[in-house]
Amino acid sequence: MLFKQQALLRQKLFVLGSLAIGSLLYLVARVGSLDRLQPLCPIDGRFGPRSQDEIPVRALQFKRGLLHEFRKGNATKEQIRLHNLVQQLPKAIIIGVRKGGTRALLEMLNLHPAVVKASQEIHFFDNDENYAKGIEWYRKKMPFSYPHQITIEKSPAYFITEEVPERIYKMNSSIKLLIIVREPTTRAISDYTQVLEGKERKNKTYYKFEKLAIDPNTCEVNTKYKAVRTSIYTKHLERWLKYFPIEQFHIVDGDRLITEPLPELQLVEKFLNLPPRISQYNLYFNATRGFYCLRFNIVFNKCLAGSKGRIHPEVDTSVITKLRKFFHPFNQKFYQITGRTFNWP
């Protein structure tokens, strides 16, 4: 009798345990589903009435999961047609600056449900061979998106390449242009560090930064060194201003994007006329990596590649001082043109 009672008790406990686990799994799935379907903060009603053909931002967020499948290139033409997907030319381009934080900016903007990013650098406007393939070739390099989303690509070589401003102007004279900058000397050293790492992977030797940045004959800053030239922001921007008014540019503080990303992203949202959707929920500091990572929802998080945030080699302080002194007048002019001042030495 006792044995039967114990068996019956075990059976009841097993049933109750199964029900508890099933309920827990349902709640987890439900929370994840709600997180994907509902906006992080309500936006309906805050931006006036919507026209009949507008897609609400929460609907765009709900459909983002579908876009992932189409980006794999496995979708049929019928599936693309049924989901009303298109490959749009970008309405905004991150044109530079190399080692300023272009990848971080693109990935962070992709948190916004109305933004779709091109995953790879296209190098259409700065590469003569690609440019000769025509605008339709460029369009087909863009990701699938919904008509009311904004496609954004980034190719930092655009900023310093002479032919690019005119070529982009011919495609779209009203396009919005994003430039992300860091303190010029730090950016130049970061540029050098990336090249150095590439050389080391191939077991090649490379000059020290000091030897490249300073002309050994004059002991002055070597303006022929590409890493130095790229950091003279105002020289490149002046070439762009021959085609586009300053109002079509937005300058992002790359140093602040590392330490305090949300305010910078909110400024970009405003510049792109997007409803404010990126919140502190989407950004969390990863102490191990030493910078912010991205949270799309309760399930999906993402950190930038391990190659980001490389440790810079030690550079002679006298060379750093000389470079900062050299960049100072160019920086002052850059502040004047853009209307944005940075705390650069």
Side-chain angles (χ1 to χ4, degrees):
M1 184 69 178
L2 181 61
F3 177 79
K4 288 183 179 180
Q5 288 177 340
Q6 288 176 338
L8 184 61
L9 180 61
R10 283 197 298 270
Q11 186 177 7
K12 287 181 178 180
L13 288 173
F14 176 79
V15 172
L16 289 171
S18 299
L19 288 171
I21 292 171
S23 300
L24 180 62
L25 290 173
Y26 171 79
L27 287 172
V28 170
R30 182 63 175 163
V31 169
S33 174
L34 288 173
D35 184 78
R36 288 191 296 274
L37 291 173
Q38 294 180 2
L40 301 175
C41 56
I43 64 166
D44 288 350
R46 288 196 288 146
F47 299 94
R50 266 195 324 268
S51 64
Q52 292 292 327
D53 61 344
E54 281 187 315
I55 298 176
V57 174
R58 68 160 58 95
L60 294 175
Q61 187 178 32
F62 172 69
K63 293 177 178 179
R64 289 188 78 151
L66 295 173
L67 286 178
H68 177 70
E69 297 302 317
F70 290 104
R71 288 173 190 153
K72 294 178 181 177
N74 298 326
T76 65
K77 290 183 179 180
E78 182 64 15
Q79 286 174 317
I80 293 169
R81 185 187 66 79
L82 287 173
H83 287 286
N84 198 30
L85 290 167
V86 290
Q87 286 174 293
Q88 304 183 78
L89 291 173
K91 294 180 182 176
I93 300 178
I94 301 172
I95 59 173
V97 175
R98 173 180 161 90
K99 306 312 300 174
T102 58
R103 173 57 61 182
L105 177 60
L106 183 68
E107 296 293 344
M108 288 177 178
L109 288 178
N110 193 50
L111 288 164
H112 199 292
V115 170
V116 178
K117 68 178 176 69
S119 297
Q120 302 298 320
E121 293 181 8
I122 311 300
H123 289 287
F124 177 63
F125 298 102
D126 65 308
N127 184 298
D128 291 341
E129 185 177 337
N130 287 344
Y131 189 68
K133 294 175 183 176
I135 203 73
E136 282 307 306
W137 178 89
Y138 180 54
R139 186 197 301 273
K140 288 201 161 93
K141 291 293 181 181
M142 294 299 123
F144 285 103
S145 62
Y146 294 96
H148 293 81
Q149 288 179 307
I150 293 176
T151 296
I152 297 180
E153 77 125 320
K154 75 102 173 175
S155 293
Y158 289 168
F159 185 62
I160 64 171
T161 305
E162 189 171 343
E163 299 82 6
V164 171
E166 182 179 6
R167 289 174 175 179
I168 292 182
Y169 180 84
K170 286 179 178 178
M171 178 190 74
N172 181 359
S173 61
S174 61
I175 197 166
K176 300 203 171 198
L177 303 165
L178 293 161
I179 303 172
I180 179 166
V181 294
R182 295 187 69 193
E183 190 276 313
T185 301
T186 302
R187 194 223 63 83
I189 296 171
S190 180
D191 197 327
Y192 166 83
T193 304
Q194 178 170 298
V195 175
L196 175 65
E197 186 180 274
K199 298 284 187 183
E200 289 176 341
R201 279 200 304 266
K202 297 176 183 178
N203 293 319
K204 293 182 177 180
T205 58
Y206 196 49
Y207 293 110
K208 292 187 69 175
F209 177 78
E210 292 89 340
K211 191 165 185 179
L212 294 168
I214 303 299
D215 187 325
N217 297 319
T218 64
C219 293
E220 297 299 326
V221 172
N222 180 15
T223 55
K224 293 180 180 179
Y225 179 38
K226 188 176 179 180
V228 169
R229 288 203 315 273
T230 300
S231 285
I232 308 175
Y233 305 139
T234 185
K235 290 290 186 183
H236 305 293
L237 182 59
E238 285 172 345
R239 185 172 60 252
W240 284 84
L241 291 172
K242 293 176 183 177
Y243 295 91
F244 300 97
I246 193 63
E247 292 76 22
Q248 282 177 233
F249 296 87
H250 178 73
I251 310 300
V252 179
D253 185 340
D255 295 307
R256 192 182 183 205
L257 193 73
I258 296 170
T259 60
E260 197 179 359
L262 185 57
E264 286 299 314
L265 294 172
Q266 290 172 333
L267 289 173
V268 178
E269 283 179 322
K270 186 175 180 180
F271 172 70
L272 296 177
N273 296 320
L274 294 171
R277 293 290 290 108
I278 302 173
S279 73
Q280 197 62 57
Y281 168 85
N282 301 116
L283 303 158
Y284 67 95
F285 188 76
N286 185 313
T288 304
R289 301 293 298 278
F291 49 78
Y292 280 85
C293 293
L294 316 179
R295 181 186 290 117
F296 288 84
N297 53 45
I298 197 171
V299 175
F300 181 51
N301 298 341
K302 179 178 183 178
C303 285
L304 296 179
S307 61
K308 305 301 178 184
R310 295 178 181 89
I311 297 174
H312 293 177
E314 288 189 18
V315 176
D316 189 294
T317 54
S318 66
V319 171
I320 291 176
T321 301
K322 188 183 287 286
L323 282 168
R324 287 177 172 170
K325 184 178 180 181
F326 168 80
F327 286 127
H328 182 74
F330 297 111
N331 295 342
Q332 296 301 310
K333 192 170 185 181
F334 186 71
Y335 303 160
Q336 184 180 6
I337 293 172
T338 63
R340 182 156 196 187
T341 303
F342 299 94
N343 295 320
W344 296 339

